[in-house]
Amino acid sequence: MKKISMVIPMYYEEEVANECYKRVKKNLLELKNYEHEIIFINDGSKDKTLDILEEIAKKDNNVKVISFSRNFGHQAAVTSGLKHTSGDLSIIMDADMQDPPEVIKDMIKLWEEGNEVIYAKRKRREGESEFKLYTAKVFYKILNGLSDVEIPRDTGDFRLADRKVVDVINQLGEHNKFLRGLFSWVGFKQVPFEYERKERVGGKTKYSLSKMMKLAIDGIISFSTKPLRIIGGIGLLSILISIIILIYSIVSYIFKLNDLTSGWTSIMVAVTFFAGVQLTSLWLMSEYIARIYDESKGRPEYIIDKKINME
């Protein structure tokens, strides 16, 4: 009998933990031809999330719990869950029920047809601001413009992956992961599954603007070196412009075409513009260097404090 592994990260989700378990469990039990396990990852929550998960695990041996020593981030939590799966297929989903577990059976049908990655694509996103929808659209447009790998738009981490795909993902030891990009990068037979994303059943989103910005930067830097090439292009353009200005200044002086003592505004604009370009260039390069430094330290991506119902 085939086995399904559910991977569900949680961070301050005491308001939704029980509801999440009940709905996921109900839909898994409806799949009579499959065994299942549910792996909850407590990503350093300081509320009652871990207590609730421990109570659930006491009553259900198919529930496994991993608890981090502190908050290491959503991508680290998902990575940890994937490394502890034992199923023939794994499904990643968030705990807030915006990604409805009722569609799991439809995703599994696509897997049974021979597809190895089924990524959930949002037709509609309820309960999200216009700002978030717009920035997400811009992000994917920029990311795909810079990346050598096509990353599907309107997708998150909600997806189903075959065992062999999960094994490959687990071999990738890099830090600062952008998993939806890595799933595209590894290849295999991938198909979309369209669904309507719902509002949270409780609590508030834990993805602040700063966290979304970090994820966006991780995505761009992890899958593209084009920003560095763009910097080089801007540098060459700056040299060309400076040569043109120099020639113009010499010609103007010789033929007295213009009063070279004037032009304070244009000089200040030029100086501040190119200073901005230089600082931005340094910031981009420092982001790449910081990731090299991060990898060189060899620290673990996360630290597990407790495991429940795991051999």
Side-chain angles (χ1 to χ4, degrees):
M1 187 179 287
K2 301 286 186 181
K3 185 176 183 180
I4 303 167
S5 295
M6 296 295 304
V7 176
I8 307 176
M10 289 195 168
Y11 182 57
Y12 284 89
E13 298 290 8
E14 63 181 6
E15 294 182 46
V16 301
N18 277 312
E19 178 67 14
C20 172
Y21 166 71
K22 289 174 185 176
R23 282 178 60 182
V24 169
K25 185 72 176 181
K26 176 180 178 295
N27 283 276
L28 290 175
L29 289 174
E30 290 174 1
L31 298 165
K32 304 297 183 184
N33 297 325
Y34 288 89
E35 296 178 337
H36 67 266
E37 64 179 359
I38 305 173
I39 303 175
F40 290 113
I41 306 94
N42 174 46
D43 186 19
S45 306
K46 300 300 180 184
D47 61 354
K48 295 180 181 178
T49 299
L50 180 58
D51 296 333
I52 294 169
L53 294 179
E54 287 179 332
E55 286 300 315
I56 293 170
K58 285 179 183 177
K59 300 173 185 176
D60 187 348
N61 288 329
N62 291 320
V63 171
K64 300 177 180 180
V65 179
I66 299 168
S67 184
F68 287 172
S69 62
R70 65 169 177 83
N71 175 240
F72 284 91
H74 181 271
Q75 301 294 284
V78 174
T79 298
S80 174
L82 289 173
K83 286 185 177 179
H84 287 83
T85 59
S86 60
D88 299 280
L89 62 117
S90 298
I91 299 173
I92 305 166
M93 68 179 297
D94 290 335
D96 55 21
M97 297 291 96
Q98 285 189 283
D99 302 323
E102 287 74 21
V103 303
I104 289 173
K105 56 182 178 293
D106 298 315
M107 297 172 76
I108 290 175
K109 285 179 184 177
L110 290 172
W111 176 74
E112 291 172 339
E113 293 171 5
N115 299 296
E116 293 157 324
V117 177
I118 296 91
Y119 56 88
K121 189 173 182 179
R122 305 147 180 164
K123 287 192 294 186
R124 194 156 61 99
R125 300 169 69 166
E126 297 177 4
E128 294 187 356
S129 67
E130 290 294 326
F131 174 76
K132 187 172 182 179
L133 295 174
Y134 176 75
T135 51
K137 184 178 179 179
V138 170
F139 164 66
Y140 278 106
K141 192 170 183 178
I142 294 172
L143 180 60
N144 281 314
L146 294 174
S147 177
D148 296 325
V149 179
E150 181 70 21
I151 299 172
R153 298 183 184 184
D154 296 320
T155 62
D157 291 310
F158 185 30
R159 67 190 61 224
L160 180 154
D162 186 83
R163 177 77 256 166
K164 69 178 179 182
V165 180
V166 172
D167 288 340
V168 171
I169 293 290
N170 286 340
Q171 291 172 18
L172 306 177
E174 64 196 70
H175 290 64
N176 301 301
K177 284 187 174 73
F178 183 64
L179 285 168
R180 64 196 74 170
L182 288 176
F183 274 106
S184 295
W185 180 81
V186 297
F188 299 102
K189 190 175 181 181
Q190 307 200 13
V191 294
F193 172 80
E194 292 192 339
Y195 76 111
E196 292 188 3
R197 198 167 201 235
K198 306 297 183 182
E199 292 187 50
R200 290 180 62 96
V201 297
K204 296 180 181 179
T205 180
K206 309 307 181 298
Y207 256 106
S208 62
L209 181 60
S210 61
K211 287 186 177 181
M212 287 192 291
M213 286 293 293
K214 182 184 182 301
L215 186 66
I217 292 169
D218 286 342
I220 291 170
I221 290 178
S222 296
F223 289 91
S224 179
T225 56
K226 286 183 182 177
L228 295 175
R229 298 191 192 112
I230 291 170
I231 289 171
I234 293 173
L236 291 173
L237 180 62
S238 301
I239 292 171
L240 179 62
I241 292 171
S242 67
I243 291 171
I244 292 170
I245 292 172
L246 176 62
I247 293 170
Y248 172 75
S249 300
I250 293 171
V251 171
S252 295
Y253 177 77
I254 293 172
F255 294 99
K256 303 187 184 302
L257 299 176
N258 199 2
D259 182 7
L260 294 179
T261 59
S262 62
W264 181 88
T265 302
S266 59
I267 291 172
M268 289 305 298
V269 169
V271 169
T272 54
F273 173 77
F274 289 113
V277 169
Q278 289 173 336
L279 290 172
T280 303
S281 301
L282 285 171
W283 167 67
L284 277 170
M285 288 187 286
S286 68
E287 286 288 346
Y288 283 94
I289 293 168
R291 277 153 179 74
I292 297 171
Y293 176 61
D294 230 12
E295 298 292 339
S296 69
K297 288 185 289 189
R299 292 177 185 170
E301 193 174 350
Y302 51 82
I303 298 172
I304 296 175
D305 177 47
K306 184 184 292 187
K307 293 181 180 179
I308 302 171
N309 284 350
M310 289 190 175
E311 296 178 359

